Amino acid sequence: MPRTTDPAPTDLLRIDDELTDDERLVRDTVRKFTADQIMPHIADWFEAGTVPRELFPELGQLGLLGMHLSGYGSAGMGAVSYGVACRELEAADSGLRSMVSVQGSLAMFPIWKYGSDEQKDEWLPRMAAGQAIGCFGLTEPDHGSDPGSMSTYAKRNGSDWILSGSKMWITNGGIADIAVVWASTDDGIRGLLVPRGARGFGTRNIHKKLSLRASVTSELHFDDVRLPASAVLPGVRGLKGPLSCLSEARYGILWGVTGAARACFESAADYARTREQFGRKIGGFQLTQRKLAWMLADMQRAQLLALHLGRLKEAGTITPEQVSLGKMSNVRTAIDIAREARTILGANGVTLEYPVIRHANNLESVLTYEGTEEIHILALGQAITGISAYR
Ligand SMILES: Cc1cc2nc3c(=O)[nH]c(=O)nc-3n(C[C@H](O)[C@H](O)[C@H](O)COP(=O)(O)OP(=O)(O)OC[C@H]3O[C@@H](n4cnc5c(N)ncnc54)[C@H](O)[C@@H]3O)c2cc1C
């Protein structure tokens, strides 16, 4: 066993030995980036409720934007490489991983998968480079878990579209150059590309969040926005369009949260080995050791699950139910670890001097977005019983 001065065994099962050399290179590159560029500032950004827009080109240079897509300046890497990148980004902050997830999986992916050649040429290379920022508008003030009931509407006017309605809780909305907006039409739900500056399109950032503070979250408003016929994504109709994007992003989440869990575990283990009470290290108390042992076991199970799902995704056989299981299970594990870690740090655990309360608060959003925990439970319940309990 390691001496008390060694770092805690965060990968006791040596799961990372199963990674390829390329995947380990992604891990080490992202770790170095976050250590140098993010960790010195993240607590201040979180406290101030800001994140520098300049991070986008840096993430683009590292090849992290749309990295699992091929062509158009994207890195074309495997699903596990993408997952490992998400893990390392979220070990720094869930907001950072959200920036990358939204850009790659929710904004670039629908253009890449369902867009016209012109749409791909216009947006994907700039988005991969971080020179153009995208957002994904599905949720509305009155329609969250049930997006199929959305009221944002696009109606035909000659060959144009007239878009009206609003979207809520949109990551990167206030800084986006292009919004992928899902709207009802006479022809079912369609995806529309709405550029910043389109007449009648406005955004307003949401403040007073106590979670994902180092991430821009916004409302989008569409007041009879006139868009050309070429604004619509030609390759998809119906709810399966946005749901397929969400499945991509949820995959990144089920990896990402294992990074947040690891950061909390490391912080708590480190604290337990140095903090003294009753004349001895609190890491010497059996109650603390029990917490740490379960945190490690749960974290490693989550990492194994992520790697397994990653290999299924690379094989092209992953199903939405498997992604639901991974998102539901790994986010719950991560938030439980963050809260348990918080107790080990005592009062210090509620300050931004340590990363734990920041991760715990961030994970509240991660538990809710991309399908709440309850919605994933219902998806699995339906897969198990054949009965839908949504309505
Ligand atoms: C920080 C942040 C960033 C976000 N970014 C984006 C983004 O970029 N793009 C985007 O489109 N959206 C985004 N969202 C929105 C997010 O996806 C929604 O918040 C989520 O889908 C839940 O919707 P809601 O908040 O309206 O909750 P509701 O749907 O009102 O749900 C409230 C509660 O009721 C439960 N519930 C609802 N229906 C059922 C049911 N049938 N059975 C049992 N329980 C049920 C829910 O699980 C939840 O516990 C973001 C949210 C946050 C917090």
Side-chain angles (χ1 to χ4, degrees):
M1 286 301 287
R3 300 191 319 275
T4 52
T5 49
D6 289 339
T10 53
D11 190 16
L12 191 76
L13 300 181
R14 307 195 66 84
I15 299 168
D16 271 14
D17 288 0
E18 302 296 319
L19 301 178
T20 65
D21 288 346
D22 282 349
E23 290 158 356
R24 272 194 287 271
L25 183 62
V26 169
R27 175 194 67 188
D28 297 342
T29 306
V30 180
R31 261 188 207 178
K32 178 159 178 18
F33 168 73
T34 57
D36 295 347
Q37 307 290 332
I38 306 295
M39 294 318 294
H41 313 291
I42 187 63
D44 291 338
W45 293 340
F46 186 96
E47 190 165 25
T50 61
V51 63
R53 189 193 166 99
E54 295 71 39
L55 282 180
F56 274 93
E58 291 183 43
L59 293 164
Q61 264 183 0
L62 287 173
L64 297 178
L65 302 177
M67 65 185 282
H68 58 310
L69 308 178
S70 54
Y72 302 96
S74 290
M77 306 206 62
V80 171
S81 287
Y82 175 52
V84 167
C86 287
R87 183 183 78 184
E88 299 307 324
L89 291 166
E90 195 149 356
D93 194 80
S94 302
L96 182 68
R97 198 266 310 137
S98 298
M99 284 170 85
V100 170
S101 289
V102 168
Q103 179 84 348
S105 292
L106 294 180
M108 294 175 71
F109 175 79
I111 300 173
W112 178 84
K113 178 106 176 147
Y114 306 122
S116 65
D117 288 343
E118 293 72 32
Q119 290 168 340
K120 292 178 193 180
D121 288 337
E122 181 176 3
W123 290 108
L124 291 181
R126 284 195 287 148
M127 292 171 85
Q131 286 155 5
I133 300 174
C135 70
F136 173 90
L138 180 65
T139 305
E140 300 185 351
D142 295 331
H143 307 281
S145 300
D146 181 18
S149 305
M150 67 176 66
S151 29
T152 296
Y153 201 85
K155 64 173 186 281
R156 294 308 292 249
N157 183 285
S159 63
D160 289 351
W161 294 92
I162 308 290
L163 177 67
S164 50
S166 61
K167 298 289 176 181
M168 183 85 176
W169 302 112
I170 307 307
T171 302
N172 298 344
I175 54 171
D177 301 290
I178 184 75
V180 178
V181 178
W182 300 93
S184 279
T185 72
D186 288 347
D187 202 14
I189 290 171
R190 303 296 303 263
L192 293 140
L193 301 188
V194 185
R196 170 162 301 280
R199 187 193 290 260
F201 172 32
T203 64
R204 188 164 53 212
N205 289 345
I206 297 170
H207 297 290
K208 301 193 178 174
K209 277 183 303 166
L210 294 180
S211 174
L212 282 190
R213 288 182 56 75
S215 172
V216 176
T217 317
S218 319
E219 301 170 18
L220 312 181
H221 298 281
F222 311 101
D223 185 10
D224 286 341
V225 180
R226 180 175 287 276
L227 297 163
S230 60
V232 79
L233 294 174
V236 73
R237 270 158 226 253
L239 208 50
K240 74 168 191 276
L243 293 188
S244 64
C245 304
L246 289 172
S247 207
E248 288 294 304
R250 288 165 183 162
Y251 169 76
I253 291 174
L254 69 87
W255 271 94
V257 292
T258 68
R262 188 186 73 210
C264 293
F265 171 77
E266 280 172 348
S267 183
D270 192 44
Y271 194 82
R273 283 177 305 184
T274 51
R275 172 75 174 171
E276 289 190 10
Q277 287 295 291
F278 298 96
R280 55 191 293 209
K281 304 272 193 289
I282 62 167
F285 297 128
Q286 291 179 358
L287 286 175
T288 307
Q289 292 191 358
R290 184 177 196 277
K291 290 178 186 176
L292 290 168
W294 275 113
M295 286 161 71
L296 178 62
D298 291 343
M299 180 177 73
Q300 294 254 269
R301 262 202 302 270
Q303 288 166 343
L304 277 171
L305 176 57
L307 183 60
H308 177 68
L309 290 172
R311 296 296 179 218
L312 290 182
K313 189 162 168 57
E314 286 182 340
T317 61
I318 197 165
T319 66
E321 290 78 20
Q322 290 169 338
V323 175
S324 277
L325 188 151
K327 200 264 181 183
M328 175 193 81
S329 179
N330 280 8
V331 178
R332 172 52 60 188
T333 298
I335 204 165
D336 287 349
I337 287 174
R339 289 170 180 166
E340 193 81 303
R342 218 286 306 148
T343 68
I344 292 176
L345 274 84
N348 278 319
V350 307
T351 75
L352 287 173
E353 298 296 321
Y354 295 85
V356 175
I357 193 79
R358 178 168 54 76
H359 281 298
N361 278 14
N362 283 340
L363 288 166
E364 294 290 341
S365 288
V366 182
L367 190 71
T368 285
Y369 72 19
E370 311 267 354
T372 64
E373 181 178 54
E374 292 80 3
I375 292 299
H376 289 293
I377 288 171
L378 296 186
L380 286 169
Q382 184 173 0
I384 296 163
T385 65
I387 306 166
S388 164
Y390 290 94
R391 290 192 167 79

